[in-house]
Amino acid sequence: MSGGGDRVLRARNLTKRYRQGEVWIDALKGFTYDFPPGVTAVVGPSGSGKTTLLNLLAGFDRPTAGEVFLAGHPLHALGEDERAGVRLTSAGFVFQSWNLLPTLSALENVAFPLLLKGIPRRERNERARALLAEVGLEHRSTHYPNQLSGGEQQRVAIARALALDPLVLFADEPTGNLDSAAGERVLELLLAQARGNRRVVLVTHDLEIAARAHRVLRLKDGRLVEIQGDDPT
Ligand SMILES: Nc1ncnc2c1ncn2[C@@H]1O[C@H](COP(=O)(O)OP(=O)(O)OP(=O)(O)O)[C@@H](O)[C@H]1O
Ligand SMILES: [Mg+2]
């Protein structure tokens, strides 16, 4: 399997240092990895740098040093607005909570990225309906987030994350707030999105979940200390 000479998702010596008052925290130290297509789980103890890594890979934050490419774009060299543009068109996100906009219905939430992209209303709604159907929630399209169960909210979040057919799907503890049945359904939906050239990056504490990824990266104290699975690099 190619590791992605296409730079779909690639990090070189990625480093993040936070300053907390007088103290410096090395949250990520020289992370180098070329994410292949498929599902890559990221595991490690609390505070090991998993969310820091995800924020850098997705361009929410800029590295202190190192390079990161998303969909061929050098995020480390781009300003905030440019990174936001790359994110919109190339990445989708599912987090542990606070995924949905509370004042929008399920359908409007899913259609939101399409609105940002300037896609006409009729096409937006059609696309959003199809995506809701794909996650089994066509019958909940007019519900607001507070009228949905946690598992349903996560499925809406997955539908929204897929709205612009992203090359990379990022998930940070997406099943963390769910019971095992709802979590399983969300997990299966996420795993099923690793199609074609798409990368899914799944941060999880749960080693049983991680074992279902194509490969597992283990972080410890901000370092990548182990790679298990079909690592092509
Ligand atoms: N904005 C910030 N400012 C200062 N320090 C931070 C910041 N964000 C994270 N840290 C620190 O960086 C380290 C890594 O944090 P990170 O959130 O990446 O860990 P994590 O592996 O995601 O943990 P968890 O499993 O608990 O979510 C921690 O020591 C944390 O306290
Ligand atoms: Mg975290």
Side-chain angles (χ1 to χ4, degrees):
M1 201 189 297
S2 144
D6 46 0
R7 296 180 169 176
V8 171
L9 186 62
R10 178 166 124 176
R12 285 279 176 274
N13 201 27
L14 209 54
T15 298
K16 184 67 186 183
R17 195 161 215 228
Y18 292 114
R19 186 182 170 162
Q20 194 72 326
E22 298 294 291
V23 184
W24 292 91
I25 298 167
D26 291 308
L28 195 69
K29 303 168 186 164
F31 176 94
T32 294
Y33 191 68
D34 205 342
F35 289 77
V39 184
T40 304
V42 178
V43 303
S46 183
S48 60
K50 304 183 296 296
T51 298
T52 299
L53 172 63
L54 197 142
N55 285 339
L56 295 174
L57 292 174
F60 285 115
D61 207 354
R62 275 180 85 167
T64 310
E67 298 184 336
V68 53
F69 291 89
L70 174 61
H73 301 275
L75 295 181
H76 52 282
L78 300 182
E80 195 131 349
D81 290 353
E82 291 167 301
R83 296 201 308 273
V86 173
R87 257 201 313 278
L88 175 64
T89 49
S90 304
F93 300 91
V94 183
F95 297 127
Q96 183 165 5
S97 55
W98 304 112
N99 272 303
L100 303 177
L101 295 165
T103 58
L104 300 184
S105 70
L107 187 80
E108 289 164 342
N109 262 283
V110 176
F112 192 65
L114 304 165
L115 174 70
L116 294 180
K117 196 85 200 294
I119 291 167
R121 184 192 182 89
R122 200 194 148 99
E123 194 185 331
R124 275 198 320 262
N125 287 344
E126 246 168 55
R127 185 97 216 269
R129 248 178 255 291
L131 286 158
L132 275 180
E134 202 177 320
V135 299
L137 287 176
E138 58 273 58
H139 59 306
R140 292 285 183 272
S141 62
T142 61
H143 285 231
Y144 287 86
N146 68 1
Q147 300 169 323
L148 296 167
S149 74
E152 287 170 343
Q153 288 181 46
Q154 280 307 58
R155 281 149 60 200
V156 173
I158 291 172
R160 186 184 56 183
L162 296 172
L164 292 173
D165 195 18
L167 270 172
V168 182
L169 188 58
F170 293 101
D172 194 351
E173 298 285 359
T175 63
N177 281 332
L178 305 179
D179 69 32
S180 58
E184 178 59 29
R185 184 141 189 212
V186 163
L187 181 64
E188 271 173 16
L189 273 170
L190 276 174
L191 297 177
Q193 302 316 318
R195 298 188 287 240
N197 201 30
R198 187 182 282 146
R199 277 79 168 151
V200 177
V201 181
L202 173 62
V203 168
T204 179
H205 277 106
D206 187 327
L207 295 184
E208 272 180 46
I209 289 176
R212 292 165 65 183
H214 296 106
R215 62 204 74 84
V216 181
L217 309 185
R218 181 179 305 280
L219 295 183
K220 194 180 172 212
D221 299 329
R223 278 190 201 289
L224 175 59
V225 292
E226 190 186 2
I227 302 169
Q228 287 174 316
D230 69 345
D231 174 42
T233 55

